[in-house]
């Protein structure tokens, strides 16, 4: 009982203390105000904390992927690799720490993909993720869906505002599931948000309020 009370006390202290701090703001000087403000919307996935991988990511595929799915994943790996350096991302034929389940969907639902972010550590370090891609989504919408879920798996959240022209904003549960989807490549804001998140100066577990305060961002409208 005493141990449980102590844990609750420590948790509440951690919630209110501005820790950890940004190591340096020098690595953020090349980003525009627009990019930094957008990052405050998408870069704090779990309890308003920055969540990121610190070990290399190994992708394993399970289930019943479509013929084109492997080439989509290959393309995503190429696009993401320079954005999350020094963390490396690659496919494996063995057991991965990022598992993509291609599920034959027999349930009548609108949701096209889902990423389980419940295994985040208390300090915001991602070590294992499972992602589901359902069989109903096809064509360019499928490319957009898989790319969208990978952004969640790497630590990004949906933005507050709409019409940002980003993959992380797109919610594929309400679109027309056809080749009419035009946005199926990462936008400049998707990319800059990942680069900011994986900058050496931003530690896992960094709180949104600490980030905003330390870099002196103007208040969000």
């Amino acid at each position: 009982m005493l141990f449980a009370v102590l844990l609750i006390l420590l948790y509440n202290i951690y919630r209110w203390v501005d820790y950890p701090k940004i190591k340096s703001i020098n690595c953020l000087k090349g980003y525009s105000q627009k990019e930094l403000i957008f990052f405050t919307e998408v870069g704090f996935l779990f309890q308003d904390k920055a969540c990121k991988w610190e070990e290399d990511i190994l992708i394993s595929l399970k289930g019943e992927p479509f013929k084109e799915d492997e080439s989509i994943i290959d393309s995503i790996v190429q696009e993401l690799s320079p954005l999350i350096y020094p963390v490396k991302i690659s496919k494996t034929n063995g057991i991965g720490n990022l598992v993509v389940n291609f599920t034959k969907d027999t349930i009548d639902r609108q949701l096209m993909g889902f990423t389980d972010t419940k295994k985040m550590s208390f300090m915001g370090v991602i070590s294992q993720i499972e992602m589901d891609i359902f069989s109903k989504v096809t064509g360019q919408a499928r490319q957009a869906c898989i790319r969208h879920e990978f952004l969640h798996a790497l630590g990004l959240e949906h933005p507050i505002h709409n019409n940002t022209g980003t993959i992380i904003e797109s919610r594929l549960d309400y679109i027309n599931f056809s080749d009419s989807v035009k946005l199926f490549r990462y936008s400049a804001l998707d990319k800059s948000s990942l680069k900011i998140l994986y900058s050496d100066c931003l530690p896992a577990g960094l709180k949104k309020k600490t980030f905003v305060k330390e870099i002196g961002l103007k208040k969000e409208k």
Side-chain angles (χ1 to χ4, degrees), residues 120-205:
M120 305 288 181
S121 80
F122 182 70
M123 292 301 295
V125 177
I126 307 173
S127 58
Q128 187 178 2
I129 286 286
E130 287 203 15
M131 178 194 307
D132 289 321
I133 303 297
F134 302 123
S135 58
K136 185 187 290 186
V137 64
T138 60
Q140 291 178 354
R142 190 171 183 85
Q143 292 193 48
C145 178
I146 297 173
R147 281 181 165 80
H148 178 89
E149 297 305 328
F150 261 88
L151 291 181
H152 285 319
L154 293 180
L156 296 189
E157 178 60 288
H158 297 132
I160 300 166
H161 298 97
N162 297 322
N163 302 316
T164 61
T166 60
I167 284 287
I168 192 56
E169 180 200 329
S170 61
R171 290 168 173 81
L172 294 177
D173 43 343
Y174 297 114
I175 64 170
N176 179 19
F177 309 114
S178 69
D179 283 339
S180 64
V181 175
K182 294 179 181 178
L183 182 65
F184 57 95
R185 288 286 186 269
Y186 293 126
S187 71
L189 283 176
D190 290 315
K191 293 177 180 179
S192 65
S193 296
L194 275 183
K195 288 178 75 174
I196 293 169
L197 179 61
Y198 281 86
S199 300
D200 287 340
C201 62
L202 263 66

Side-chain angles (χ1 to χ4, degrees), residues 57-115:
I57 303 167
L58 296 174
I59 305 165
S60 58
L61 310 184
K62 290 177 65 177
E64 301 179 32
F66 290 180
K67 186 169 69 173
E68 67 271 20
D69 286 339
E70 194 152 352
S71 63
I72 292 173
I73 299 289
D74 288 338
S75 175
I76 289 172
V77 167
Q78 283 189 333
E79 291 173 52
L80 294 178
S81 290
L83 305 177
I84 63 172
Y85 182 84
V87 174
K88 295 178 182 177
I89 182 169
S90 60
K91 284 193 315 187
T92 179
N93 292 322
I95 299 173
N97 50 14
L98 197 171
V99 180
V100 185
N101 297 306
F102 291 97
T103 305
K104 189 170 183 181
D105 194 14
T106 57
I107 302 172
D108 184 18
R109 60 175 141 203
Q110 291 179 309
L111 191 66
M112 294 295 101
F114 176 74
T115 298

